Amino acid sequence: MAMVWLLLLLGVSGALGYFSSDEVLSLPGLSTRLNFRQWSGYLQAAPGIHLHYWFVTSQRDPVQDPLILWLNGGPGCSSLDGFLAENGPLHVKDDGSTLYINEYSWNKVANVLYLESPAGVGFSYADDQVYATNDDEVADNNYLALQDFFRKFPSFMKNDFYVIGESYGGIYTPTLSLRIANGAAPINLKGFAVGNGLSSNYFNDQSLVYFGYYHGLFGDTLWANLNTYCCNGGTCNFFNNTDYFCQESIKEAFFIIYDSGLNVYSLYMDCAGGIPTSYKRFLTDMKNLFQFYQFQAVKSTEKAINMAPPCINDTAQWTWLNRADVRRALHIPEWVQAWELCSAVVSESYHRTYSTMYDFYLKLLGKGLRVLVYNGDTDMACNFLGDHWFVQSLNQQKTVNYQPWIHNNQIAGFYEKYGDLTFLTVKGAGHMVPQWAPARALKMVTSFLSNSPY
Ligand SMILES: *[C@@H]1O[C@H](CO)[C@@H](O)[C@H](O)[C@H]1NC(C)=O
Ligand SMILES: *[C@@H]1O[C@H](CO)[C@@H](O)[C@H](O)[C@H]1NC(C)=O
């Protein structure tokens, strides 16, 4: 039996045409035999920049199925959260030591490359340990790392290729896609998707105030103040209003949304750990949002041991990834930093170059790429309304009117199409759609990749 399995492995290896020392042959906490192959190691970006990747082949047909590059956001958060809690094939049980199969893994229909980017995130590092970076540098390094990936796995160059990013991946994804589309590397880029992404600071911030009020979070007094002080002749400016009383009202509104104990990533889910006892998180998170208002960051003097975003519990993934035997299995050198869901250093030293992805989308649509903007509609970090307004602002010709899409004979959400551009919501799901609506997320990505109806 062991021999048959070995031959089968060699056969698959031969068919794919490469063999790499990065291959992961066993993982602590996993007892099941897998019907896909996986590699973990480092990709070379700019000199001195080493980005950790974890690559899994499709469970269906690695040769024919497309290749997805998956990017989590932050900036500063690790794509291994995508792997171990969202759309990856192996998830970590609450005990922090056992892995189980995610039956809605995206590698049911695609080869998936998880990249920890930029350096300083997760197990990725820079030789000089300088982690200040910006949107353009990240796109350049992701593009270089991707080319290194294809050097290691040349047979995947002919697969259809898609970039899919979440949250601040709303910036990483179009910027990298345009590098690829304009670049010389023969990569088969067919499109990109963005899940609960930051697409435009203006639309994101402006819409959030309406989202909060119409989801019952503010009450009449605050809403009346917002309208009195922030609006003029029926036009409201919640984004960069200079009126003092408007700014005070907006601070009140954002305090409720971000720091009162609501789960900003999923309005109707509990906040892990309950109501915060101190408000130190406000502005580590908010610092880069609503830049105009210059909220004063209350820097925590406490040393964060586990840099998870507020209300999110990543203890299981954190525990598993920081085991010495897991690090060895994933080929992480001993001297590389411990894994954190989000890196405070990267997040705090990050320079945001772009306030909107408008130009990038127009250029990429002009190249005939397929684009999906999807949003779990209970997320407040990057709310659906802001992304819907962003998509509408691109002013493309509508080809399918806003209507429900169906999964398991239930309304799964809504979508509309503008030729190659689709906007889609996932009803009742929060920021991490593949984690909190896994079956619908798999159906969605399958439709997107095969360009079939939702
Ligand atoms: C507010 O933002 C808009 C849209 O980005 C911009 O045109 C305007 O100049 C900004 N106003 C101020 C006061 O910064
Ligand atoms: C976080 O998850 C772990 C299980 O992985 C659990 O033991 C712990 O109680 C949880 N913490 C909170 C604050 O929910």
Side-chain angles (χ1 to χ4, degrees), residues 179-217:
R179 294 289 194 287
I180 298 169
N182 288 338
I187 297 170
N188 249 328
L189 180 68
K190 291 285 189 272
F192 69 91
V194 165
N196 290 76
L198 184 62
S199 304
S200 145
N201 291 351
Y202 169 74
F203 287 123
N204 185 66
D205 301 3
Q206 178 77 2
S207 59
L208 185 58
V209 174
Y210 295 98
F211 184 105
Y213 176 67
Y214 288 109
H215 283 79
L217 310 184

Side-chain angles (χ1 to χ4, degrees), residues 398-403 415-417:
K398 192 181 280 187
T399 49
V400 176
N401 280 324
Y402 202 76
Q403 59 180 269
Y415 77 107
E416 69 187 11
K417 286 182 94 125

Side-chain angles (χ1 to χ4, degrees), residues 103-305:
E103 61 176 305
Y104 302 109
S105 174
W106 288 9
N107 87 329
K108 294 240 163 172
V109 296
N111 305 285
V112 188
L113 169 62
Y114 295 84
L115 184 67
E116 294 195 287
S117 169
V121 172
F123 293 131
S124 295
Y125 65 95
D127 290 340
D128 61 8
Q129 300 193 15
V130 171
Y131 293 127
T133 188
N134 61 64
D135 296 338
D136 284 320
E137 205 174 81
V138 169
D140 289 340
N141 279 316
N142 288 344
Y143 184 44
L144 288 169
L146 188 58
Q147 291 173 69
D148 195 34
F149 171 81
F150 285 118
R151 274 191 288 276
K152 285 193 175 188
F153 300 89
S155 68
F156 284 93
M157 283 211 93
K158 62 179 177 4
N159 297 54
D160 286 351
F161 181 71
Y162 297 86
V163 186
I164 307 186
E166 181 180 280
S167 194
Y168 202 74
I171 307 288
Y172 298 155
T173 299
T175 50
L176 171 61
S177 297
L178 194 60
R179 294 289 194 287
I180 298 169
N182 288 338
I187 297 170
N188 249 328
L189 180 68
K190 291 285 189 272
F192 69 91
V194 165
N196 290 76
L198 184 62
S199 304
S200 145
N201 291 351
Y202 169 74
F203 287 123
N204 185 66
D205 301 3
Q206 178 77 2
S207 59
L208 185 58
V209 174
Y210 295 98
F211 184 105
Y213 176 67
Y214 288 109
H215 283 79
L217 310 184
F218 297 162
D220 288 345
T221 308
L222 177 54
W223 184 238
N225 286 344
L226 285 162
N227 279 278
T228 303
Y229 300 122
C230 305
C231 307
N232 205 334
T235 305
C236 302
N237 175 8
F238 301 121
F239 173 60
N240 59 2
N241 206 304
T242 51
D243 182 274
Y244 172 82
F245 294 104
C246 171
Q247 294 194 2
E248 289 303 302
S249 305
I250 284 173
K251 284 180 196 175
E252 207 181 312
F254 291 153
F255 175 81
I256 293 167
I257 289 172
Y258 280 95
D259 226 22
S260 65
L262 292 173
N263 186 337
V264 71
Y265 301 104
S266 185
L267 176 56
Y268 300 109
M269 283 176 71
D270 282 347
C271 176
I275 305 289
T277 49
S278 72
Y279 296 115
K280 64 185 161 67
R281 292 288 194 186
F282 190 52
L283 292 210
T284 28
D285 229 50
M286 287 280 293
K287 171 165 87 74
N288 288 301
L289 285 170
F290 307 100
Q291 293 168 7
F292 182 81
Y293 298 120
Q294 309 268 305
F295 292 116
Q296 287 310 302
V298 190
K299 270 277 173 64
S300 169
T301 47
E302 278 172 59
K303 179 153 170 43
I305 311 157

Side-chain angles (χ1 to χ4, degrees), residues 288-342:
N288 288 301
L289 285 170
F290 307 100
Q291 293 168 7
F292 182 81
Y293 298 120
Q294 309 268 305
F295 292 116
Q296 287 310 302
V298 190
K299 270 277 173 64
S300 169
T301 47
E302 278 172 59
K303 179 153 170 43
I305 311 157
N306 190 344
M307 273 303 295
C311 300
I312 299 298
N313 184 357
D314 74 325
T315 305
Q317 294 90 326
W318 186 87
T319 306
W320 187 78
L321 280 169
N322 284 313
R323 283 171 55 156
D325 55 355
V326 170
R327 288 174 58 113
R328 274 194 300 277
L330 295 176
H331 311 119
I332 310 302
E334 266 174 36
W335 43 267
V336 168
Q337 73 269 3
W339 186 88
E340 297 288 352
L341 176 56
C342 297

